[in-house]
Amino acid sequence: MNIIISFILDFLQVSRPGWWLVSLWLYIAPCGSKQDISLSGLALVVFPLNVIVYGINDMADLNNDLENDRKGNFVFGPKGWSKARLMRVLMPSIVMTGVVLSYWGYGSMQLEYYILWFLHTLVVNYSYNFHSFIWKILLVAVGYGSVTLLSFWQHGGVGFGFELHSNGRWYLAGCNQEYWIHLVFLLLRSQLWTELLDYDYDRKKRKWTTLSRLSSKVLAQSVVLSVLLLEAFWCWLQCYFYHGSEWFTLLCFSCMGCFLFVSLEYTLPSKHAPDLTWLALAQNAGGVYLLYDCWQRGIFVQ
């Protein structure tokens, strides 16, 4: 019994419960309230798929993160694990995901799409974690964006679902252009802000991420703040000129993100900064409401 409990806890820690909201967002937000959500697909992207994504990352950083104070919890993942312990969690997740996707693909007559999707997931994650190139951050958008494509198939979609309307609007995987633009902002700011948390540590360990390549932390902070401000401005444009009150909640949350970043990075001394674990939990609580609001209004499928 203790072995089973230990395995479950390891499985959960690698899957990063503090980041489940990202997977939930990518899978649920494009559905719209008029569509029943496939719970089996939701379970897949939250558990075994997250274990694959973050487990490969943990494998790559096995030695680099031994002194990283941010690690060693259920928000940012394990620290000090052996390779064998990681593999005991990672390999069953890969097998489980492959079997489930093959079953879904066979049942929907789209087997080749599901197989290629799974191979794409493995290649993108391996390339991101084990190869160093300056534009690797683009792989974050490509990798996470494929979760929405999987959701599209699970809810009756075929192929890539690309549509170009006469008024210039386009749709991909059942989602409007606003969804994909917002997705880029969501993933870009989340990735860069996380890299900023490890800026000093990564520079010390000579681990070259998008931000750690920059010569000063002030410059790295400016990059993240610019992305946050640009996202807030874009949400304001959508709210004021195009979609009205339907985008007000998104606008409020993007402005709150700017305020939170400025408070943490520029205003509060480091010794008074809140614990990152509790901050992530609070952020998730607000994110759940935002997710429900966007899903209930169906703003990304109109």
PDB file of all heavy atoms in Angstrom, residues 16-42:
ATOM      1  N   ARG A  16       2.748  18.403 -11.870  1.00  0.00           N
ATOM      2  CA  ARG A  16       2.638  19.820 -11.508  1.00  0.00           C
ATOM      3  C   ARG A  16       1.177  20.258 -11.320  1.00  0.00           C
ATOM      4  O   ARG A  16       0.630  21.013 -12.150  1.00  0.00           O
ATOM      5  CB  ARG A  16       3.264  20.722 -12.585  1.00  0.00           C
ATOM      6  CG  ARG A  16       4.658  20.399 -13.050  1.00  0.00           C
ATOM      7  CD  ARG A  16       5.708  20.777 -12.044  1.00  0.00           C
ATOM      8  NE  ARG A  16       6.987  20.987 -12.687  1.00  0.00           N
ATOM      9  CZ  ARG A  16       7.842  20.017 -13.049  1.00  0.00           C
ATOM     10  NH1 ARG A  16       7.547  18.759 -12.805  1.00  0.00           N
ATOM     11  NH2 ARG A  16       8.997  20.317 -13.637  1.00  0.00           N
ATOM     12  N   PRO A  17       0.500  19.853 -10.248  1.00  0.00           N
ATOM     13  CA  PRO A  17      -0.881  20.301 -10.025  1.00  0.00           C
ATOM     14  C   PRO A  17      -1.041  21.819 -10.064  1.00  0.00           C
ATOM     15  O   PRO A  17      -2.103  22.316 -10.435  1.00  0.00           O
ATOM     16  CB  PRO A  17      -1.192  19.746  -8.630  1.00  0.00           C
ATOM     17  CG  PRO A  17      -0.313  18.548  -8.493  1.00  0.00           C
ATOM     18  CD  PRO A  17       0.957  18.912  -9.204  1.00  0.00           C
ATOM     19  N   GLY A  18       0.015  22.528  -9.693  1.00  0.00           N
ATOM     20  CA  GLY A  18      -0.050  23.989  -9.729  1.00  0.00           C
ATOM     21  C   GLY A  18      -0.166  24.558 -11.129  1.00  0.00           C
ATOM     22  O   GLY A  18      -0.511  25.737 -11.298  1.00  0.00           O
ATOM     23  N   TRP A  19       0.110  23.724 -12.148  1.00  0.00           N
ATOM     24  CA  TRP A  19       0.026  24.167 -13.540  1.00  0.00           C
ATOM     25  C   TRP A  19      -1.063  23.437 -14.323  1.00  0.00           C
ATOM     26  O   TRP A  19      -1.141  23.578 -15.543  1.00  0.00           O
ATOM     27  CB  TRP A  19       1.380  23.984 -14.233  1.00  0.00           C
ATOM     28  CG  TRP A  19       2.443  24.874 -13.667  1.00  0.00           C
ATOM     29  CD1 TRP A  19       3.344  24.562 -12.703  1.00  0.00           C
ATOM     30  CD2 TRP A  19       2.685  26.238 -14.009  1.00  0.00           C
ATOM     31  NE1 TRP A  19       4.143  25.628 -12.421  1.00  0.00           N
ATOM     32  CE2 TRP A  19       3.768  26.674 -13.216  1.00  0.00           C
ATOM     33  CE3 TRP A  19       2.107  27.127 -14.917  1.00  0.00           C
ATOM     34  CZ2 TRP A  19       4.277  27.964 -13.293  1.00  0.00           C
ATOM     35  CZ3 TRP A  19       2.609  28.418 -14.990  1.00  0.00           C
ATOM     36  CH2 TRP A  19       3.687  28.827 -14.195  1.00  0.00           C
ATOM     37  N   TRP A  20      -1.888  22.663 -13.634  1.00  0.00           N
ATOM     38  CA  TRP A  20      -2.985  21.981 -14.334  1.00  0.00           C
ATOM     39  C   TRP A  20      -3.897  22.973 -15.045  1.00  0.00           C
ATOM     40  O   TRP A  20      -4.493  22.650 -16.075  1.00  0.00           O
ATOM     41  CB  TRP A  20      -3.815  21.160 -13.339  1.00  0.00           C
ATOM     42  CG  TRP A  20      -3.161  19.895 -12.911  1.00  0.00           C
ATOM     43  CD1 TRP A  20      -1.974  19.363 -13.348  1.00  0.00           C
ATOM     44  CD2 TRP A  20      -3.647  18.972 -11.912  1.00  0.00           C
ATOM     45  NE1 TRP A  20      -1.684  18.196 -12.705  1.00  0.00           N
ATOM     46  CE2 TRP A  20      -2.696  17.931 -11.823  1.00  0.00           C
ATOM     47  CE3 TRP A  20      -4.775  18.945 -11.105  1.00  0.00           C
ATOM     48  CZ2 TRP A  20      -2.867  16.862 -10.944  1.00  0.00           C
ATOM     49  CZ3 TRP A  20      -4.946  17.888 -10.235  1.00  0.00           C
ATOM     50  CH2 TRP A  20      -3.999  16.849 -10.159  1.00  0.00           C
ATOM     51  N   LEU A  21      -4.016  24.158 -14.479  1.00  0.00           N
ATOM     52  CA  LEU A  21      -4.932  25.142 -15.047  1.00  0.00           C
ATOM     53  C   LEU A  21      -4.590  25.455 -16.506  1.00  0.00           C
ATOM     54  O   LEU A  21      -5.492  25.718 -17.315  1.00  0.00           O
ATOM     55  CB  LEU A  21      -4.904  26.422 -14.214  1.00  0.00           C
ATOM     56  CG  LEU A  21      -5.859  27.534 -14.664  1.00  0.00           C
ATOM     57  CD1 LEU A  21      -7.302  27.065 -14.604  1.00  0.00           C
ATOM     58  CD2 LEU A  21      -5.660  28.787 -13.825  1.00  0.00           C
ATOM     59  N   VAL A  22      -3.298  25.430 -16.845  1.00  0.00           N
ATOM     60  CA  VAL A  22      -2.901  25.704 -18.229  1.00  0.00           C
ATOM     61  C   VAL A  22      -3.495  24.655 -19.165  1.00  0.00           C
ATOM     62  O   VAL A  22      -4.077  24.982 -20.206  1.00  0.00           O
ATOM     63  CB  VAL A  22      -1.367  25.738 -18.363  1.00  0.00           C
ATOM     64  CG1 VAL A  22      -0.966  25.916 -19.826  1.00  0.00           C
ATOM     65  CG2 VAL A  22      -0.780  26.850 -17.511  1.00  0.00           C
ATOM     66  N   SER A  23      -3.378  23.379 -18.777  1.00  0.00           N
ATOM     67  CA  SER A  23      -3.938  22.302 -19.596  1.00  0.00           C
ATOM     68  C   SER A  23      -5.460  22.393 -19.657  1.00  0.00           C
ATOM     69  O   SER A  23      -6.062  22.169 -20.716  1.00  0.00           O
ATOM     70  CB  SER A  23      -3.522  20.937 -19.030  1.00  0.00           C
ATOM     71  OG  SER A  23      -2.119  20.784 -19.039  1.00  0.00           O
ATOM     72  N   LEU A  24      -6.082  22.712 -18.515  1.00  0.00           N
ATOM     73  CA  LEU A  24      -7.538  22.871 -18.488  1.00  0.00           C
ATOM     74  C   LEU A  24      -7.972  23.987 -19.436  1.00  0.00           C
ATOM     75  O   LEU A  24      -8.961  23.865 -20.161  1.00  0.00           O
ATOM     76  CB  LEU A  24      -8.003  23.180 -17.067  1.00  0.00           C
ATOM     77  CG  LEU A  24      -7.882  22.054 -16.043  1.00  0.00           C
ATOM     78  CD1 LEU A  24      -8.206  22.583 -14.641  1.00  0.00           C
ATOM     79  CD2 LEU A  24      -8.812  20.906 -16.382  1.00  0.00           C
ATOM     80  N   TRP A  25      -7.224  25.076 -19.407  1.00  0.00           N
ATOM     81  CA  TRP A  25      -7.546  26.225 -20.267  1.00  0.00           C
ATOM     82  C   TRP A  25      -7.463  25.826 -21.741  1.00  0.00           C
ATOM     83  O   TRP A  25      -8.379  26.105 -22.524  1.00  0.00           O
ATOM     84  CB  TRP A  25      -6.584  27.374 -19.966  1.00  0.00           C
ATOM     85  CG  TRP A  25      -6.812  28.576 -20.821  1.00  0.00           C
ATOM     86  CD1 TRP A  25      -6.308  28.809 -22.060  1.00  0.00           C
ATOM     87  CD2 TRP A  25      -7.642  29.702 -20.508  1.00  0.00           C
ATOM     88  NE1 TRP A  25      -6.757  30.013 -22.548  1.00  0.00           N
ATOM     89  CE2 TRP A  25      -7.577  30.585 -21.609  1.00  0.00           C
ATOM     90  CE3 TRP A  25      -8.420  30.047 -19.399  1.00  0.00           C
ATOM     91  CZ2 TRP A  25      -8.265  31.789 -21.637  1.00  0.00           C
ATOM     92  CZ3 TRP A  25      -9.107  31.251 -19.424  1.00  0.00           C
ATOM     93  CH2 TRP A  25      -9.019  32.112 -20.546  1.00  0.00           C
ATOM     94  N   LEU A  26      -6.378  25.192 -22.123  1.00  0.00           N
ATOM     95  CA  LEU A  26      -6.170  24.829 -23.523  1.00  0.00           C
ATOM     96  C   LEU A  26      -7.209  23.829 -24.017  1.00  0.00           C
ATOM     97  O   LEU A  26      -7.530  23.798 -25.209  1.00  0.00           O
ATOM     98  CB  LEU A  26      -4.768  24.234 -23.704  1.00  0.00           C
ATOM     99  CG  LEU A  26      -3.601  25.172 -23.381  1.00  0.00           C
ATOM    100  CD1 LEU A  26      -2.288  24.409 -23.397  1.00  0.00           C
ATOM    101  CD2 LEU A  26      -3.554  26.331 -24.356  1.00  0.00           C
ATOM    102  N   TYR A  27      -7.732  23.024 -23.113  1.00  0.00           N
ATOM    103  CA  TYR A  27      -8.680  21.984 -23.504  1.00  0.00           C
ATOM    104  C   TYR A  27     -10.131  22.456 -23.431  1.00  0.00           C
ATOM    105  O   TYR A  27     -10.942  22.105 -24.288  1.00  0.00           O
ATOM    106  CB  TYR A  27      -8.503  20.760 -22.605  1.00  0.00           C
ATOM    107  CG  TYR A  27      -9.224  19.524 -23.109  1.00  0.00           C
ATOM    108  CD1 TYR A  27      -8.622  18.680 -24.039  1.00  0.00           C
ATOM    109  CD2 TYR A  27     -10.500  19.206 -22.649  1.00  0.00           C
ATOM    110  CE1 TYR A  27      -9.270  17.554 -24.512  1.00  0.00           C
ATOM    111  CE2 TYR A  27     -11.159  18.078 -23.119  1.00  0.00           C
ATOM    112  CZ  TYR A  27     -10.538  17.252 -24.045  1.00  0.00           C
ATOM    113  OH  TYR A  27     -11.192  16.137 -24.518  1.00  0.00           O
ATOM    114  N   ILE A  28     -10.473  23.282 -22.414  1.00  0.00           N
ATOM    115  CA  ILE A  28     -11.869  23.645 -22.172  1.00  0.00           C
ATOM    116  C   ILE A  28     -12.271  24.961 -22.830  1.00  0.00           C
ATOM    117  O   ILE A  28     -13.369  25.067 -23.403  1.00  0.00           O
ATOM    118  CB  ILE A  28     -12.136  23.732 -20.651  1.00  0.00           C
ATOM    119  CG1 ILE A  28     -11.981  22.356 -20.011  1.00  0.00           C
ATOM    120  CG2 ILE A  28     -13.539  24.271 -20.389  1.00  0.00           C
ATOM    121  CD1 ILE A  28     -12.153  22.373 -18.501  1.00  0.00           C
ATOM    122  N   ALA A  29     -11.423  25.979 -22.752  1.00  0.00           N
ATOM    123  CA  ALA A  29     -11.805  27.315 -23.221  1.00  0.00           C
ATOM    124  C   ALA A  29     -12.338  27.334 -24.653  1.00  0.00           C
ATOM    125  O   ALA A  29     -13.276  28.073 -24.949  1.00  0.00           O
ATOM    126  CB  ALA A  29     -10.623  28.269 -23.081  1.00  0.00           C
ATOM    127  N   PRO A  30     -11.785  26.534 -25.583  1.00  0.00           N
ATOM    128  CA  PRO A  30     -12.296  26.584 -26.952  1.00  0.00           C
ATOM    129  C   PRO A  30     -13.649  25.900 -27.146  1.00  0.00           C
ATOM    130  O   PRO A  30     -14.238  26.013 -28.221  1.00  0.00           O
ATOM    131  CB  PRO A  30     -11.213  25.825 -27.748  1.00  0.00           C
ATOM    132  CG  PRO A  30     -10.032  25.752 -26.862  1.00  0.00           C
ATOM    133  CD  PRO A  30     -10.577  25.720 -25.478  1.00  0.00           C
ATOM    134  N   CYS A  31     -14.151  25.179 -26.137  1.00  0.00           N
ATOM    135  CA  CYS A  31     -15.366  24.384 -26.335  1.00  0.00           C
ATOM    136  C   CYS A  31     -16.623  25.238 -26.399  1.00  0.00           C
ATOM    137  O   CYS A  31     -17.493  25.006 -27.220  1.00  0.00           O
ATOM    138  CB  CYS A  31     -15.510  23.349 -25.211  1.00  0.00           C
ATOM    139  SG  CYS A  31     -14.247  22.073 -25.230  1.00  0.00           S
ATOM    140  N   GLY A  32     -16.737  26.223 -25.530  1.00  0.00           N
ATOM    141  CA  GLY A  32     -17.978  26.983 -25.461  1.00  0.00           C
ATOM    142  C   GLY A  32     -19.015  26.234 -24.645  1.00  0.00           C
ATOM    143  O   GLY A  32     -19.030  24.998 -24.612  1.00  0.00           O
ATOM    144  N   SER A  33     -19.901  26.956 -23.986  1.00  0.00           N
ATOM    145  CA  SER A  33     -20.826  26.344 -23.024  1.00  0.00           C
ATOM    146  C   SER A  33     -21.857  25.434 -23.661  1.00  0.00           C
ATOM    147  O   SER A  33     -22.497  24.637 -22.978  1.00  0.00           O
ATOM    148  CB  SER A  33     -21.546  27.448 -22.242  1.00  0.00           C
ATOM    149  OG  SER A  33     -22.274  28.293 -23.129  1.00  0.00           O
ATOM    150  N   LYS A  34     -22.048  25.535 -24.971  1.00  0.00           N
ATOM    151  CA  LYS A  34     -23.058  24.723 -25.636  1.00  0.00           C
ATOM    152  C   LYS A  34     -22.559  23.312 -25.953  1.00  0.00           C
ATOM    153  O   LYS A  34     -23.291  22.492 -26.477  1.00  0.00           O
ATOM    154  CB  LYS A  34     -23.508  25.399 -26.929  1.00  0.00           C
ATOM    155  CG  LYS A  34     -24.225  26.735 -26.709  1.00  0.00           C
ATOM    156  CD  LYS A  34     -24.670  27.343 -28.018  1.00  0.00           C
ATOM    157  CE  LYS A  34     -25.388  28.671 -27.791  1.00  0.00           C
ATOM    158  NZ  LYS A  34     -25.822  29.295 -29.054  1.00  0.00           N
ATOM    159  N   GLN A  35     -21.327  23.042 -25.647  1.00  0.00           N
ATOM    160  CA  GLN A  35     -20.731  21.759 -25.997  1.00  0.00           C
ATOM    161  C   GLN A  35     -20.335  20.986 -24.747  1.00  0.00           C
ATOM    162  O   GLN A  35     -19.684  21.517 -23.862  1.00  0.00           O
ATOM    163  CB  GLN A  35     -19.493  21.987 -26.880  1.00  0.00           C
ATOM    164  CG  GLN A  35     -18.967  20.730 -27.551  1.00  0.00           C
ATOM    165  CD  GLN A  35     -17.921  21.075 -28.604  1.00  0.00           C
ATOM    166  OE1 GLN A  35     -17.279  22.111 -28.549  1.00  0.00           O
ATOM    167  NE2 GLN A  35     -17.765  20.198 -29.574  1.00  0.00           N
ATOM    168  N   ASP A  36     -20.761  19.718 -24.672  1.00  0.00           N
ATOM    169  CA  ASP A  36     -20.356  18.867 -23.559  1.00  0.00           C
ATOM    170  C   ASP A  36     -18.864  18.585 -23.644  1.00  0.00           C
ATOM    171  O   ASP A  36     -18.328  18.310 -24.720  1.00  0.00           O
ATOM    172  CB  ASP A  36     -21.138  17.549 -23.587  1.00  0.00           C
ATOM    173  CG  ASP A  36     -22.617  17.750 -23.291  1.00  0.00           C
ATOM    174  OD1 ASP A  36     -22.937  18.722 -22.597  1.00  0.00           O
ATOM    175  OD2 ASP A  36     -23.437  16.943 -23.768  1.00  0.00           O
ATOM    176  N   ILE A  37     -18.192  18.623 -22.509  1.00  0.00           N
ATOM    177  CA  ILE A  37     -16.744  18.431 -22.481  1.00  0.00           C
ATOM    178  C   ILE A  37     -16.421  16.953 -22.324  1.00  0.00           C
ATOM    179  O   ILE A  37     -16.998  16.270 -21.476  1.00  0.00           O
ATOM    180  CB  ILE A  37     -16.119  19.230 -21.323  1.00  0.00           C
ATOM    181  CG1 ILE A  37     -16.367  20.726 -21.531  1.00  0.00           C
ATOM    182  CG2 ILE A  37     -14.622  18.957 -21.212  1.00  0.00           C
ATOM    183  CD1 ILE A  37     -15.955  21.583 -20.354  1.00  0.00           C
ATOM    184  N   SER A  38     -15.505  16.451 -23.138  1.00  0.00           N
ATOM    185  CA  SER A  38     -15.054  15.067 -23.043  1.00  0.00           C
ATOM    186  C   SER A  38     -14.176  14.916 -21.809  1.00  0.00           C
ATOM    187  O   SER A  38     -13.050  15.416 -21.765  1.00  0.00           O
ATOM    188  CB  SER A  38     -14.270  14.672 -24.300  1.00  0.00           C
ATOM    189  OG  SER A  38     -13.644  13.415 -24.121  1.00  0.00           O
ATOM    190  N   LEU A  39     -14.696  14.226 -20.791  1.00  0.00           N
ATOM    191  CA  LEU A  39     -13.965  14.093 -19.529  1.00  0.00           C
ATOM    192  C   LEU A  39     -12.762  13.166 -19.677  1.00  0.00           C
ATOM    193  O   LEU A  39     -11.757  13.339 -18.985  1.00  0.00           O
ATOM    194  CB  LEU A  39     -14.904  13.574 -18.440  1.00  0.00           C
ATOM    195  CG  LEU A  39     -16.067  14.509 -18.080  1.00  0.00           C
ATOM    196  CD1 LEU A  39     -16.911  13.894 -16.966  1.00  0.00           C
ATOM    197  CD2 LEU A  39     -15.556  15.886 -17.659  1.00  0.00           C
ATOM    198  N   SER A  40     -12.858  12.180 -20.563  1.00  0.00           N
ATOM    199  CA  SER A  40     -11.719  11.273 -20.762  1.00  0.00           C
ATOM    200  C   SER A  40     -10.534  12.025 -21.364  1.00  0.00           C
ATOM    201  O   SER A  40      -9.384  11.825 -20.969  1.00  0.00           O
ATOM    202  CB  SER A  40     -12.122  10.109 -21.659  1.00  0.00           C
ATOM    203  OG  SER A  40     -12.568  10.570 -22.936  1.00  0.00           O
ATOM    204  N   GLY A  41     -10.825  12.917 -22.316  1.00  0.00           N
ATOM    205  CA  GLY A  41      -9.757  13.734 -22.891  1.00  0.00           C
ATOM    206  C   GLY A  41      -9.185  14.703 -21.887  1.00  0.00           C
ATOM    207  O   GLY A  41      -7.968  14.935 -21.836  1.00  0.00           O
ATOM    208  N   LEU A  42     -10.058  15.258 -21.049  1.00  0.00           N
ATOM    209  CA  LEU A  42      -9.615  16.177 -20.011  1.00  0.00           C
ATOM    210  C   LEU A  42      -8.680  15.481 -19.025  1.00  0.00           C
ATOM    211  O   LEU A  42      -7.643  16.024 -18.636  1.00  0.00           O
ATOM    212  CB  LEU A  42     -10.833  16.732 -19.272  1.00  0.00           C
ATOM    213  CG  LEU A  42     -10.593  17.868 -18.286  1.00  0.00           C
ATOM    214  CD1 LEU A  42     -10.038  19.093 -19.002  1.00  0.00           C
ATOM    215  CD2 LEU A  42     -11.884  18.213 -17.561  1.00  0.00           C
TER     216      LEU A  42
END
